[in-house]
């Protein structure tokens, strides 16, 4: 991972897409195997009965992936300052998700170099989670 700097970031820069495949085991492990949660997070048949076609991917798992994706993009000296997410539709385990994003704003605020990103998870090319993330990046000077 390389360090990203404020001066090298431009509006409409695209983050490199990242594909991840959430598995049913990941959903179970995320909540804990002994944690009684909605069975649709760990049971393919329960998810099918709900009409989603399989075990659900926890929204918090996707949120953690978005946070890690942005943190990796920012580098070790960058900091995620704020993240707001909206879940648009459920995702089903064992189907690939693509994380993608772009720079939508950059500014200096109280001496801090802030870059705002729009990040999405895409399933079959359609957004399932949208997030706005503010990142503080170091300046070169």
């Amino acid at each position: 991972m390389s360090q990203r700097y404020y001066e090298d970031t431009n509006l409409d820069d695209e983050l490199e897409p990242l594909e991840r495949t959430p598995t049913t085991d990941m959903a179970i492990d995320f909540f804990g195997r002994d944690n009684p949660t909605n069975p649709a997070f760990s049971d393919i048949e329960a998810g099918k009965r709900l009409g989603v076609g399989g075990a659900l991917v926890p929204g918090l798992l996707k949120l953690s992936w978005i946070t890690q994706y942005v943190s990796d993009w920012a580098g070790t000296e960058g900091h995620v300052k704020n993240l707001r997410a909206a879940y648009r539709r459920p995702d089903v385990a064992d189907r690939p998700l693509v994380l993608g994003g772009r720079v939508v704003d950059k500014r200096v605020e109280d001496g801090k170099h802030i870059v705002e990103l729009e990040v999405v998870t895409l399933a079959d090319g359609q957004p399932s989670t949208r997030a706005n993330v503010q990142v503080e990046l170091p300046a070169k000077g």
Side-chain angles (χ1 to χ4, degrees):
M1 162 178 40
S2 63
Q3 181 57 56
R4 181 135 351 245
Y5 291 94
Y6 180 80
E7 293 86 351
D8 297 330
T9 305
N10 300 300
L11 290 178
D12 293 323
D13 281 356
E14 301 250 343
L15 281 67
E16 185 172 333
L18 174 67
E19 184 174 302
R20 304 224 30 200
T21 301
T23 65
T24 301
D25 281 343
M26 283 178 183
I28 295 168
D29 291 341
F30 188 81
F31 283 118
R33 294 202 176 262
D34 296 328
N35 185 5
T37 63
N38 181 338
F41 288 117
S42 60
D43 182 346
I44 293 169
E45 293 307 314
K48 286 180 180 178
R49 284 191 299 275
L50 287 175
V52 295
L56 291 174
V57 177
L60 291 175
L61 176 60
K62 293 187 287 184
L63 191 60
S64 70
W65 284 358
I66 289 170
T67 304
Q68 185 65 55
Y69 176 63
V70 171
S71 293
D72 289 349
W73 174 84
T76 57
E77 293 180 45
H79 303 284
V80 174
K81 303 303 277 180
N82 189 355
L83 189 149
R84 290 175 300 146
Y87 302 107
R88 299 297 182 199
R89 62 185 185 94
D91 288 304
V92 179
D94 301 315
R95 296 182 188 166
L97 290 176
V98 176
L99 288 93
R102 68 183 180 93
V103 175
V104 295
D105 190 28
K106 64 181 276 187
R107 61 191 176 279
V108 177
E109 193 174 90
D110 297 325
K112 299 179 192 259
H113 297 85
I114 305 296
V115 174
E116 193 160 330
L117 306 171
E118 182 180 271
V119 180
V120 296
T121 59
L122 301 167
D124 298 321
Q126 298 298 313
S128 58
T129 306
R130 291 185 179 276
N132 287 60
V133 187
Q134 289 180 355
V135 180
E136 182 181 346
L137 293 179
K140 288 183 175 180

